[in-house]
Amino acid sequence: GDIRAIFNINRNGDVKIVTASSEQLFKRIGEVEEGRLDNGDRYKIMKTIDEDGVNVKIQLFMSSDMKLIYPDGSLIQFSSSMSIKN
């Protein structure tokens, strides 16, 4: 199914991820930082807390790919076919 990430949904710059059956809010707790991978791909990354109190980093690539990076090293990656809105 479709997954949408909606950035800056409020004054704090929080992120909401919406699927057909759920919505999850990620509260921004740090500044947005920019970076570049060794292969030259540029990205932005920010620290958030999800609804369960887990610290999650959200990494958004200029290609519109996105990763959710969890403290234990696990991650969820979304392809650029997703709809990204600012």
Side-chain angles (χ1 to χ4, degrees), residues 33-78:
E33 298 177 19
E34 295 187 18
R36 186 180 301 261
L37 299 178
D38 290 341
N39 67 5
D41 288 347
R42 293 180 13 219
Y43 64 86
K44 294 183 180 183
I45 191 165
M46 72 171 124
K47 294 178 183 176
T48 68
I49 295 179
D50 72 9
E51 294 169 339
D52 297 322
V54 177
N55 290 315
V56 180
K57 291 181 183 176
I58 297 179
Q59 186 176 31
L60 178 65
F61 292 88
M62 296 304 110
S63 65
S64 298
D65 289 353
M66 186 177 81
K67 289 182 183 177
L68 303 180
I69 305 168
Y70 290 85
D72 65 1
S74 64
L75 60 90
I76 300 172
Q77 184 168 344
F78 301 94

Side-chain angles (χ1 to χ4, degrees), residues 12-35:
N12 189 52
D14 296 340
V15 178
K16 184 184 287 187
I17 296 182
V18 181
T19 68
S21 60
S22 70
E23 292 185 1
Q24 187 165 12
L25 180 66
F26 294 83
K27 295 183 180 183
R28 186 171 65 93
I29 57 169
E31 294 302 314
V32 176
E33 298 177 19
E34 295 187 18

Side-chain angles (χ1 to χ4, degrees), residues 3-7 15-18 66 82-85:
I3 297 170
R4 292 185 304 148
I6 306 167
F7 290 83
V15 178
K16 184 184 287 187
I17 296 182
V18 181
M66 186 177 81
M82 64 183 285
S83 172
I84 294 182
K85 298 180 181 180

